[in-house]
Every structure is written in C-alpha cells, then in structure tokens.
Amino acid sequence: MRKDAGLNGDLDRLPQLSWLLFLKAFDERVEQTGAALDPDYRPAIEKPYRWQDWAPKRDYSGDDLRAFINGDLIPHLSGLEGSGADDPRNILSAVFADVTNRMMSGTLLRDLVDVVDQIHFTSSDDIHTMAFVYESILKEMRDAAGDSGEFYTPRPVNRFMVQQSFLELGESILDPACGTGGFLVQAYEDLKDKVETDEQRKQLAGDLRGIEKKSQPYLLASMNLLLHGIDAPQLVHDNALKRMRQSTAAERVNVVLTNPPFGGEEEQSIVKQFPSGYQTQETAWLFVHAILDQLQKGGRCAVVLPNGSLFAGGVGARIKEKLMKECNLHTIVRLPQGVFAPYTQIPSNLLFFEKTGPTEETWFYEIPLPEGRRGYAKTKPMRVEEFEPCVEWWGGKKREGREGGPQAWMVPAEDIKKAGYNLDIANPHVGDGLEQRTPEELVDELIKVEGEILGLLTSLREGLASK
C-alpha cells in the first residue's frame, strides 16, 4: 500500500484496508455462516459481488480487478436497498456510500486482496489478532487525524467512563458522536462476559448504537465493531444533532456515552431545530441539550466537555440550568491538562449525570498528573492506572461513602446556581502555590485566563444577540 501512488499516508491507507477487511469479514461471518445455518438464507450480496466470487479468482488480472471494483462492485454495494432497518443491505449501502478505491496500481491492489483473503474470520485466533492489529492501526489513524483537527478519546478515558456507568445487559447504549467506535467497543467488552445465551448476544449487539456524521470514521467504526464480534453494527451515518432532534420517544435510550465535537460551529439549519433560548453554534452545547431529550427517564450519561463549557455563560449557562433541573449531575471528574495531547492542550472534564430529578449536590474529583510529570505526550499518554484512586473513591454503583479530601470536594447545587451555573470550580484543597510554579506554568495559566475571558465575552455577546 505504501508503494501505491494513489495512497497518501495513513488517512488514505486505513480506509482502503478497512473496506476490504469489511467485505471479507462480512462474507465469512454473515453470508457463509447464515447459509450454513439456514438452507433458505437469502444472501445480502448476490453473485458475482460476494467476496468469495471475485477476490480469490487468480484469473482476474490487476487491471481487470481494479476495473471490476471501481465500475461494478462499489456502485452495486452502495446502491443496495433493504426491506427494514435491520436488513444488512442497508448497512452495506451506508458503509459503501462514500467508499472509493484509491489504489491506482492494479497489480498492487491484486496483491493486497490476496493478503486480505488469507485472513480467516471464522478463526478465533485470526479474529483476535486482527482486532489487536486494527486497534493499533486505528491509534495511528487517530494521531494522524488529530493533525487535521479531529480528536479521539484516549482508551483509558473511555474505559473509565464505561466502567463508572455500571452498564447492564438489556440497556440501550448510544454514542451520538461515535467516531471509530471506541465507546461502543468498550461497552461490548464490558458486557460480553455477562452474556449466557445467543438471544442475549443478539440483543447486546442491537443495544449498542452509534451515530457518525463523517463517512471515514463511520467506515472505521463499522469495521471495528465487526472485528470485535458484532456482525450487524447498529450505526447510522447522519448528523447526530438532526437525528436526535427528530427522534421519537420510542428511540430514547438508557445510556449515552460520548465525546462530542467541541469548538466547532454547527450549520444554521440544525441550530434552528433547537428551542428559542437554547440556539447556539457551539456544537458541544447542542449535543448536551439533545442528549437530555434523548435519555429515557432514569437514564444516565457520561460525556466529555472542555473547561470552556464549564464556565460558559449565555446559552451555555441556560443549558447547564436545564441539565441540573432535569438531571442529577452527581459527579464531575477534572482531567489533567494534556490528556488529549498532542491534538490539543485544552483541559477537559467528564460529566456524569442521571435523569432522575434535580441536582442537589455535585461532587468534583481532580485527577492529578503522575508525580514527576509535567504533562502527557504521544509517546507517554495517560494510563488506565491513573484512574484507580477515583474508582476506589467513587463508592460503587450507588456512590456510597464518598468523602472529601485532597482530590475530592462537594458543592451544593444552590451554590452553583448562585454562581450563574459556573461549573469551573477549582479544588479548594490546593492553594495557589505561585512560588512553587515554573515560569512556563505561570504563562500557561495566563493564557488559560485570557481564553476564559474571551469565552465569557463571546457568551455575553451571544446572550445580548439572543435578547
């Protein structure tokens, strides 16, 4: 793939590999298995478009193979129409709607197809190995994507968020900004050992739902879920904000796990679908508002938000007020600066809330940097172990026995209300310690304060414009 002139870097190579892997896995895991178990099984892909019909054929020259893929295979797959929401033909057409074969050399394409054909998705060893390799490639892909302004959730963060959401079999779980599927894969890994029957396994696969706006992450997420044992990923290729605003009560879910895009601006046609007084172009706040309506009564959410969202006024403050009136915002975990490095140094927070009634008090827990560390880097990222003290403090599913301490403190909801719903509340157990801070840290703090002032002025201007 590195030799082909049509592929420029990992952002081209991984999608190319993914759709080939997807077709091979779909053929073995869905089509061939279905035919073996049911004599009346109707293939989702008809001859001659099944992987088994064309990929192993050595009489296809490189140029013939490339012409078949470009002119026949991809147009056929993207044009499939299913008879229902769960019809695999709908999944195939959504996956291949924006797929293109970028390889220019038919000879190299033939070689790549031959390599993929040697992988056996009916072998547990091959699947395990391929899932591990794919996750490694995805990490490289995420590093490359970060350079273009797309940030993905580090695995220790989504593992912690899933763990502290205390998932149960039978619950519907949604990531409305699913990217490459990290939260959904982690949720599946967290629940699969509880499965005892084939019916429970099918239900679990159907309960894991994702929405992704961009075609490339959608393809990668589909392949990621398929490799981890979910044969028919319940993913939707659409604008999640539009989708959630137009959803019905029957589509509400028990759990939302997500890291919505922030810092972007949503198009006006989407913004206008939100109620007056809650309209803003800041994507993160629109996601929070939509999530509140998407949760069932008693449902719960874990969401990543940047510091700027915590202290935002204007529309942001009104959405925080709505959140705290409708839900119990029981915990905010403050992450160290640089968790999302090298993509961004913006400090982030994890908000956990339940749609069980108004907030009475909110606990804050600050995750410190490891001793001796001044930040994170691509080669030295955050580790799962750094969350262990917070997990011990959490108090289990019922959050029992919580106590304040050097990293934890509680704030009554009434105090937050009086402060204009400012959730950017510093750790009261930590002094300024200016004399112990380096010049670099002081400059970083000044930059942060200037950024906060700019954010407040922007919110003020937005609030005045909405009046």
Side-chain angles (χ1 to χ4, degrees):
M1 295 178 75
R2 292 182 182 276
K3 296 176 184 178
D4 193 275
L7 302 177
N8 299 305
D10 291 338
L11 291 175
D12 283 343
R13 286 191 285 268
L14 185 55
Q16 177 77 23
L17 178 61
S18 293
W19 69 258
L20 288 169
L21 287 170
F22 185 90
L23 279 182
K24 169 67 171 175
F26 187 86
D27 188 67
E28 290 191 350
R29 296 280 294 277
V30 181
E31 301 283 59
Q32 294 185 36
T33 301
L37 296 176
D38 181 4
D40 298 323
Y41 176 78
R42 180 193 171 188
I45 305 176
E46 302 289 347
K47 294 180 179 181
Y49 302 106
R50 300 175 304 176
W51 178 275
Q52 59 192 285
D53 297 325
W54 60 267
K57 285 188 175 180
R58 300 301 184 266
D59 54 349
Y60 258 134
S61 71
D63 290 339
D64 290 340
L65 179 63
R66 183 170 178 270
F68 168 73
I69 288 175
N70 292 348
D72 296 315
L73 178 66
I74 292 177
H76 173 78
L77 295 175
S78 63
L80 290 173
E81 293 183 8
S83 57
D86 295 330
D87 193 313
R89 288 174 294 180
N90 291 327
I91 297 172
L92 287 161
S93 61
V95 167
F96 283 88
D98 296 302
V99 163
T100 56
N101 168 46
R102 296 179 179 272
M103 294 188 73
M104 298 178 64
S105 167
T107 302
L108 292 174
L109 177 59
R110 174 75 263 179
D111 291 343
L112 178 60
V113 169
D114 289 346
V115 171
V116 173
D117 194 47
Q118 295 174 30
I119 301 169
H120 299 292
F121 289 94
T122 53
S123 163
S124 58
D125 288 341
D126 276 17
I127 293 171
H128 178 78
T129 301
M130 196 62 232
F132 177 79
V133 170
Y134 194 79
E135 284 197 13
S136 300
I137 298 173
L138 275 180
K139 184 179 183 304
E140 296 301 319
M141 175 76 174
R142 290 163 186 162
D143 290 345
D147 296 335
S148 62
E150 295 180 14
F151 311 139
Y152 293 87
T153 313
R155 186 164 185 178
V157 175
N158 69 37
R159 181 175 174 181
F160 171 77
M161 291 170 67
V162 169
Q163 179 183 2
Q164 300 315 116
S165 294
F166 300 96
L167 305 178
E168 298 289 345
L169 286 177
E171 293 183 319
S172 50
I173 301 164
L174 172 69
D175 181 355
C178 72
T180 57
F183 279 111
L184 299 177
V185 167
Q186 189 61 55
Y188 180 75
E189 293 293 315
D190 196 60
L191 289 169
K192 69 178 183 179
D193 290 340
K194 299 180 181 180
V195 170
E196 297 179 351
T197 66
D198 287 341
E199 189 61 35
Q200 287 180 330
R201 189 174 302 279
K202 289 179 182 178
Q203 182 178 357
L204 173 57
D207 283 338
L208 297 173
R209 309 167 191 177
I211 308 173
E212 176 51 45
K213 181 179 180 180
K214 297 187 177 182
S215 57
Q216 190 165 276
Y218 175 81
L219 165 64
L220 300 177
S222 299
M223 187 63 222
N224 200 13
L225 292 173
L226 194 63
L227 278 172
H228 283 85
I230 302 173
D231 293 336
Q234 299 299 301
L235 304 180
V236 176
H237 186 198
D238 200 358
N239 184 309
L241 293 172
K242 180 182 73 173
R243 191 89 180 188
M244 288 191 287
R245 287 300 299 165
Q246 296 175 355
S247 66
T248 64
E251 295 174 290
R252 290 175 183 165
V253 296
N254 300 113
V255 183
V256 172
L257 297 161
T258 194
N259 178 8
F262 52 82
E265 292 188 357
E266 193 55 61
E267 55 189 89
Q268 277 298 320
S269 62
I270 301 297
V271 174
K272 289 179 180 178
Q273 295 187 31
F274 286 79
S276 176
Y278 296 105
Q279 295 181 359
T280 173
Q281 290 187 315
E282 170 50 57
T283 313
W285 280 126
L286 294 178
F287 266 90
V288 172
H289 188 286
I291 288 168
L292 294 177
D293 293 337
Q294 194 69 24
L295 283 175
Q296 294 182 13
K297 185 176 181 180
R300 56 199 186 279
C301 174
V303 59
V304 182
L305 288 179
N307 266 14
S309 297
L310 297 194
F311 62 74
V315 174
R318 287 194 286 275
I319 293 177
K320 284 181 285 187
E321 180 181 11
K322 175 180 171 67
L323 165 62
M324 295 186 69
K325 284 184 175 180
E326 295 182 6
C327 300
N328 176 20
L329 176 60
H330 57 80
T331 310
I332 297 178
V333 177
R334 312 214 65 174
L335 299 178
Q337 184 167 325
V339 169
F340 287 85
Y343 317 137
T344 178
Q345 292 294 327
I346 296 174
S348 299
N349 308 267
L350 311 179
L351 276 63
F352 295 81
F353 55 87
E354 300 171 337
K355 200 168 185 179
T356 54
T359 304
E360 295 183 359
E361 61 184 32
T362 299
W363 278 92
F364 290 77
Y365 191 99
E366 186 173 67
I367 306 287
L369 278 166
E371 188 173 351
R373 292 282 298 276
R374 294 179 57 185
Y376 298 104
K378 186 185 296 186
T379 55
K380 292 184 177 180
M382 190 176 198
R383 298 175 298 114
V384 173
E385 293 77 14
E386 293 172 49
F387 284 105
E388 288 179 357
C390 184
V391 172
E392 293 177 7
W393 165 85
W394 197 275
K397 186 175 182 178
K398 295 183 178 180
R399 303 184 295 277
E400 296 175 324
R402 289 185 169 184
E403 295 182 357
Q407 309 305 141
W409 64 101
M410 186 273 289
V411 181
E414 190 61 33
D415 290 355
I416 296 173
K417 178 181 178 181
K418 290 177 181 177
Y421 293 95
N422 180 3
L423 296 171
D424 187 24
I425 301 172
N427 187 343
H429 306 295
V430 178
D432 289 337
L434 294 177
E435 70 283 353
Q436 299 178 3
R437 301 170 72 182
T438 66
E440 291 85 356
E441 290 172 332
L442 293 173
V443 171
D444 286 344
E445 183 65 22
L446 287 172
I447 293 173
K448 175 186 173 184
V449 171
E450 292 294 332
E452 292 176 353
I453 293 172
L454 180 60
L456 289 170
L457 289 173
T458 302
S459 298
L460 177 61
R461 181 177 180 181
E462 190 177 67
L464 291 172
S466 66
K467 289 183 178 180

